[in-house]
Amino acid sequence: MSGKPIAREWSTEEIESFVRDLESLQGGGFAAAALVGCGERAIGPLRNFLLDGKPRGIFQPRQLAVETLAELGAKDVLIEYLLQSRKIEDSVVRFGEDAVLSTAARELGRWKTEDVYEALKKISNDRLLTGIVESLGTFARQDSISYFLWALGDGICRQAAEDALHTIGEAARPHLLEAARNPNPSAEDEGPSSLQRRRRVLRILAELPPSITDWAALRSLLDENDTEIVVATARIGLRICPAHDRQFAVQRVIEALPSADSFVQTEARKCLAENFSIAQPQIDAEIARRCTASHKERGLDVVLRLLVNLEAGMCKEGTKTDARPHE
């Protein structure tokens, strides 16, 4: 006798048993695979498990249920779960359920449909989760830019938000310029997330095609105290600023060096190297000034060593031309 073997059809009781087995941290993966094999019949029990189940600190079983529903194509159940209103007082449980919500939002990114987008937008009004940022980013719509800018200030969501803004590209430029020059709540009382947001905004702007019209919005940032903002602004400015602002931009980069951390010092060195023909007179002047210090002080002067090494390297390469293609 020939032909394909007949696949076994699981009973309702067995399917419900598989759903309960999601609670096992060891056997949950097997149960999820079995539920995918059950097809649409598994969606109802999984929906009940997810929507009627109680959130807990151990969130992996609920997360696995979300991933299984996504494999089964249960988009509507995931939307229903995403929009379900829950108030969780316990911080550990709330953290776990946020992980489940983030997974649901990420899985919904499989579907580029209007109902998915609307659900993601609705939950994004008061929640900052990586999965929401990632899925909204796949739509690349301008009305999500404010959410991505908010997420730039969050240590966990930051990279996903940056990727989303890169995807939107040129259309995000006006919003990025506005965000770069607006510390929150104010310049005097700016919080760490606002500072981090503006630093990231400048990095994104630096990767967009240069636009001379941006300089009017950015020039004032050279006067700020944060060395990363100053150096990032100068790197943009030396590509687009008028001739009379170039020396000031170079001056601010050199002034930032003593208090800059290693990352910012590396960025400053790149900036000075890229614009060496413009920066060389000021570099020479700063080297000369620092060389008037005592022998011991010169030996400990990290900035002096950086500038001397930069100049020696550039002169060895014979690089004396400005990287900027225009006046």
Side-chain angles (χ1 to χ4, degrees):
M1 185 174 179
S2 61
K4 295 181 179 180
I6 299 174
R8 179 185 171 189
E9 184 169 315
W10 301 103
S11 68
T12 300
E13 290 76 16
E14 287 173 316
I15 292 173
E16 290 175 348
S17 176
F18 288 144
V19 172
R20 289 193 297 272
D21 287 344
L22 292 175
E23 299 281 2
S24 169
L25 295 181
Q26 286 77 32
F30 173 81
L35 287 165
V36 171
C38 294
E40 291 186 5
R41 294 179 62 223
I43 293 177
L46 281 166
R47 177 191 175 279
N48 294 337
F49 177 83
L50 184 63
L51 271 68
D52 298 335
K54 185 178 179 181
R56 294 178 301 168
I58 300 174
F59 60 87
Q60 288 83 354
R62 292 174 61 76
Q63 197 172 46
L64 198 52
V66 163
E67 292 166 350
T68 306
L69 283 163
E71 287 295 321
L72 290 167
K75 178 191 70 171
D76 292 344
V77 175
L78 294 180
I79 290 176
E80 186 180 4
Y81 166 67
L82 203 67
L83 298 180
Q84 186 182 53
S85 177
R86 288 184 185 271
K87 187 176 181 180
I88 302 174
E89 299 294 341
D90 188 286
S91 60
V92 174
V93 176
R94 186 168 62 249
F95 175 84
E97 195 64 10
D98 278 350
V100 181
L101 281 165
S102 186
T103 300
R106 184 180 294 109
E107 293 291 353
L108 278 168
R110 298 169 181 238
W111 294 276
K112 302 299 182 291
T113 56
E114 196 62 28
D115 56 345
V116 166
Y117 184 74
E118 289 303 321
L120 291 168
K121 281 289 289 179
K122 185 172 182 179
I123 194 174
S124 74
N125 288 332
D126 59 1
R127 286 182 180 271
L128 196 56
L129 298 173
T130 306
I132 301 175
V133 179
E134 290 178 358
S135 285
L136 281 175
T138 64
F139 285 86
R141 295 195 187 179
Q142 294 182 44
D143 61 353
S144 294
I145 290 175
S146 60
Y147 185 66
F148 300 143
L149 290 172
W150 177 27
L152 276 182
D154 180 81
I156 297 174
C157 298
R158 185 178 303 144
Q159 188 57 56
E162 192 169 336
D163 293 342
L165 289 164
H166 277 303
T167 300
I168 294 173
E170 186 62 36
R173 188 189 294 271
H175 304 271
L176 293 167
L177 291 170
E178 183 70 16
R181 63 190 186 198
N182 280 293
N184 184 40
S186 66
E188 294 74 21
D189 300 310
E190 183 172 19
S193 64
S194 171
L195 187 59
Q196 193 59 248
R197 179 182 305 112
R198 295 199 299 134
R199 290 169 175 171
R200 290 282 174 158
V201 161
L202 287 167
R203 292 191 205 179
I204 298 169
L205 281 168
E207 295 180 19
L208 291 177
S211 173
I212 296 172
T213 58
D214 290 352
W215 187 237
L218 296 176
R219 189 188 186 284
S220 63
L221 300 183
L222 288 177
D223 295 318
E224 296 215 7
N225 293 322
D226 184 75
T227 56
E228 186 170 342
I229 286 179
V230 169
V231 172
T233 303
R235 288 193 77 182
I236 296 171
L238 286 164
R239 297 165 66 197
I240 62 174
C241 72
H244 64 266
D245 276 336
R246 294 180 199 168
Q247 288 188 338
F248 179 57
V250 171
Q251 174 191 333
R252 291 296 290 135
V253 172
I254 293 173
E255 289 173 351
L257 286 170
S259 57
D261 60 24
S262 59
F263 169 78
V264 177
Q265 284 191 351
T266 299
E267 293 297 296
R269 190 188 189 285
K270 289 178 184 176
C271 179
L272 295 173
E274 290 165 357
N275 301 278
F276 188 67
S277 65
I278 296 171
Q280 187 177 15
Q282 286 161 277
I283 291 173
D284 288 343
E286 184 65 13
I287 290 173
R289 187 183 72 80
R290 288 177 175 274
C291 282
T292 61
S294 68
H295 178 75
K296 182 179 179 180
E297 288 174 325
R298 293 200 304 273
L300 297 174
D301 192 335
V302 175
V303 174
L304 176 60
R305 186 160 57 248
L306 182 152
L307 294 175
V308 168
N309 289 341
L310 169 63
E311 182 159 58
M314 298 302 292
C315 291
K316 184 177 179 180
E317 294 174 12
T319 308
K320 301 281 186 150
T321 57
D322 187 1
R324 296 171 73 257
H326 61 271
E327 290 296 316

